[in-house]
């Protein structure tokens, strides 16, 4: 009996695995410290700050969607309320000269997010699936409309502003320069990411996965799925409040946009595009969506249209997100068969890029005549100038789009055959693919 018990007991992780685990977090901390030394411009600091806030927000949303299987359309409520409470706190602390430094203020946003999640979550989490999604949407619309009615607290359309430099200095920092805000966001991001990862390793995190996969089985073994969903909802609101508080500190303002459906939709896009099935997925998605939104907005006036097309493409062709696509190749990398896929990928890349170029050209020309029908037909998009009225441009767009699609579809079939061959070899070597 003792031999059976000892064989069933989980083995302690090896020292090398522990070193690797803690080494990854240490490497992340070092990278965050060195980034401002490599990218020194103010624009880079602003971008990195936005990415850090988005990472916290996306991971908090994934506690609901990826970990517990709850699709929310109103996660911005707790992000926005955390931001508003932080702005009011900064004004109160600054006016009364309270000895509270700015790095502690995001905790107020966290507690605000937790409080409102605890108040609204008990009813919201009574149901899951479509019912929960509709309840979250209704709550979001209720709070968002209140932002324009309760002007004393929300400030109406103009919002509430604050001056973060009026708070107590910490080690001589007044957090006026953007680089100081970057380090503040980076520190909170690292703490929040570690805390959310630790949450996934707890019994509660495991039960969240069980509720996501089979709530009836969870109830059968003695746990209440509603309580598990409620606790996950509260933790999600807590970390969303941190993100909202950091956003308020970064911009020194909080307005109704923090609570809107656009904010809820953006975090949904980032989380799903990155991949809800992996902890690192929302991190990848937050980085991708932030860079995409900042970059596309400078290249084309209809950047939100491309944003939507990318999301649709991910949902249809890559439901596992970017991280899911990358993780699919891990068995091939371990088996040494990834090189078999490279020729097929390179061949398919050319017609696929041609199809995308044709789609972009078609969209830009159609949008120009739909939105600006009376203006000059010479337009510029993605750094390229062309005449939208020229029949050659329309013909080129049609050839690239249709021809590229037909050729790309054939090459995608070759990718499928190459994938089957590579995965078969991996299975023969005992590596699950």
């Amino acid at each position: 009996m003792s031999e059976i018990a000892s064989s069933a007991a989980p083995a302690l992780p090896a020292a090398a695995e522990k070193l690797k685990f803690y080494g990854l977090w240490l490497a992340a901390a070092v990278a965050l410290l060195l980034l401002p030394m490599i990218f020194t411009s103010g624009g880079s600091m602003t971008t990195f700050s936005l990415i850090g806030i988005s990472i916290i927000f996306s991971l908090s949303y994934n506690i609901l969607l990826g970990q517990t299987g709850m699709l929310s359309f109103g996660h911005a409520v707790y992000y926005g309320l955390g931001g508003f409470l932080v702005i009011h706190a900064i004004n109160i602390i600054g006016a009364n000269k309270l000895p509270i430094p700015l790095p502690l203020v995001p905790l107020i946003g966290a507690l605000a997010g937790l409080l409102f999640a605890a108040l609204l979550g008990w009813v919201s989490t009574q149901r899951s699936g479509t019912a929960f999604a509709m309840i979250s949407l209704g709550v979001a619309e209720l709070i968002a409309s209140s932002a324009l009615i309760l002007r004393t607290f929300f400030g109406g359309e103009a919002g509430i502003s604050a001056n973060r430099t009026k708070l107590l200095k910490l080690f001589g920092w007044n957090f006026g320069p953007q680089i100081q805000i970057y380090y503040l966001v980076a520190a909170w991001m690292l703490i929040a990411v570690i805390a959310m990862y630790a949450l996934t390793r707890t019994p509660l995190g495991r039960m969240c996965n069980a509720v996501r996969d089979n709530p009836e089985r969870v109830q059968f073994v003695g746990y209440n799925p509603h309580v598990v969903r409620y606790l996950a909802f509260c933790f999600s609101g807590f970390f969303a409040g941190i993100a909202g508080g950091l956003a308020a500190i970064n911009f020194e303002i909080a307005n109704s946009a923090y609570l809107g459906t656009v904010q809820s939709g953006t975090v949904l896009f980032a989380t799903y595009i990155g991949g809800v099935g992996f902890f690192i997925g929302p991190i990848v998605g937050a980085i991708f969506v932030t860079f995409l939104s900042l970059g596309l907005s400078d290249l084309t006036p209809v950047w939100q249209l491309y944003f939507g097309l990318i999301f649709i493409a991910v949902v249809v062709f890559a439901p596992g997100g970017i991280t899911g696509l990358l993780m699919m190749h891990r068995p091939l990398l371990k088996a040494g068969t990834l090189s078999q896929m490279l020729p097929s990928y390179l061949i398919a890349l050319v017609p696929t890029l041609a199809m995308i170029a044709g789609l972009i050209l078609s969209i830009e020309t159609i949008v120009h005549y739909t939105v600006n029908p009376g203006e000059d037909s010479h337009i510029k998009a993605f750094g390229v100038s062309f005449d939208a009225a020229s029949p050659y441009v329309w013909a080129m767009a049609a050839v690239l789009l249709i021809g590229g699609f037909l050729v790309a579809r054939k090459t995608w079939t070759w990718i499928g055959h190459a994938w089957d061959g590579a995965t078969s070899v991996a299975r023969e070597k005992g590596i699950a693919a």
Side-chain angles (χ1 to χ4, degrees):
M1 182 66 69
S2 61
E3 293 177 358
I4 295 175
S6 62
S7 63
L12 292 175
E17 290 296 325
K18 284 187 176 181
L19 184 61
K20 179 181 178 181
F21 175 77
Y22 292 112
L24 288 174
W25 293 113
L26 181 61
V30 172
L32 292 174
L33 286 172
L34 296 179
L35 271 179
M37 303 177 188
I38 301 173
F39 304 94
T40 58
S41 66
S44 299
M45 294 300 99
T46 302
T47 301
F48 292 145
S49 299
L50 294 177
I51 290 174
I53 295 168
S54 182
I55 286 174
I56 300 174
F57 194 25
S58 298
L59 282 173
S60 72
Y61 184 77
N62 201 47
I63 295 175
L64 294 179
L65 181 59
Q67 298 294 323
T68 322
M70 296 190 292
L71 175 62
S72 173
F73 292 128
H75 199 53
V77 168
Y78 313 100
Y79 172 91
L81 290 174
F84 273 102
L85 263 295
V86 163
I87 283 293
H88 285 293
I90 292 175
N91 288 329
I92 293 173
I93 294 170
N96 295 278
K97 304 296 182 181
L98 300 177
I100 301 176
L102 189 66
L104 296 180
V105 174
L107 279 176
I108 298 174
L111 295 176
L114 175 60
L115 174 63
F116 286 102
L119 292 175
L120 302 174
W122 186 256
V123 175
S124 301
T125 55
Q126 291 279 353
R127 296 290 183 270
S128 59
T130 304
F132 172 79
M134 294 300 100
I135 292 172
S136 68
L137 181 60
V139 171
E141 290 299 323
L142 175 65
I143 301 299
S145 61
S146 300
L148 300 177
I149 299 173
L150 305 176
R151 295 179 176 271
T152 303
F153 181 80
F154 293 104
E157 296 180 356
I160 304 293
S161 60
N163 186 351
R164 65 192 182 216
T165 61
K166 290 185 177 181
L167 272 64
L168 178 68
K169 292 184 179 181
L170 186 66
F171 304 114
W173 284 20
N174 65 349
F175 295 96
Q178 188 62 39
I179 188 171
Q180 296 179 8
I181 293 299
Y182 161 78
Y183 280 119
L184 174 63
V185 172
W188 270 103
M189 183 198 73
L190 190 61
I191 294 171
V193 170
I194 293 174
M196 283 185 273
Y197 179 79
L199 179 64
T200 65
R201 317 306 295 178
T202 62
L204 175 61
R206 301 301 189 188
M207 290 309 302
C208 288
N209 298 155
V211 168
R212 175 196 64 196
D213 298 334
N214 196 334
E216 291 80 9
R217 181 69 176 270
V218 170
Q219 193 170 11
F220 179 76
V221 298
Y223 290 90
N224 189 341
H226 173 219
V227 174
V228 175
R229 289 194 295 265
Y230 177 67
L231 292 175
F233 194 87
C234 290
F235 276 107
S236 179
F238 177 84
F239 290 107
I242 293 177
L246 290 173
I249 291 172
N250 181 58
F251 294 110
E252 295 183 292
I253 190 173
N255 52 37
S256 58
Y258 281 41
L259 303 161
T261 55
V262 174
Q263 198 72 46
S264 295
T266 301
V267 71
L268 170 60
F269 287 179
T271 306
Y272 198 91
I273 289 174
V276 297
F278 305 90
F279 180 80
I280 198 176
I283 299 177
V284 175
I287 296 172
F288 177 79
V289 168
T290 303
F291 274 119
L292 189 70
S293 59
L294 293 177
L296 282 180
S297 60
D298 293 334
L299 296 175
T300 174
V302 291
W303 62 273
Q304 291 178 322
L305 176 60
Y306 294 103
F307 203 94
L309 291 175
I310 292 172
F311 180 71
I312 293 172
V314 170
V315 172
V316 174
F317 298 107
I322 298 174
T323 308
L325 286 177
L326 296 176
M327 291 301 179
M328 287 171 57
H329 294 79
R330 288 184 65 187
L332 305 186
L333 183 62
K334 291 180 179 179
T337 58
L338 184 59
S339 58
Q340 299 179 18
M341 297 297 303
L342 296 181
S344 300
Y345 284 156
L346 293 175
I347 293 173
L349 182 63
V350 176
T352 302
L353 290 178
M355 179 188 67
I356 294 173
L359 178 63
I360 292 173
L361 196 58
S362 301
I363 290 174
E364 293 296 333
T365 51
I366 292 173
V367 167
H368 174 73
Y369 281 105
T370 303
V371 180
N372 305 310
E375 295 187 5
D376 185 15
S377 61
H378 292 82
I379 60 177
K380 185 176 182 179
F382 295 91
V384 179
S385 301
F386 57 91
D387 186 3
S390 173
Y392 298 106
V393 173
W394 287 83
M396 183 185 299
V399 169
L400 288 173
L401 179 59
I402 299 174
F405 171 74
L406 295 176
V407 177
R409 189 176 181 182
K410 182 66 175 177
T411 59
W412 296 337
T413 304
W414 299 345
I415 290 177
H417 294 320
W419 182 267
D420 292 338
T423 52
S424 298
V425 174
R427 291 192 188 98
E428 291 175 359
K429 294 183 178 182
I431 300 174

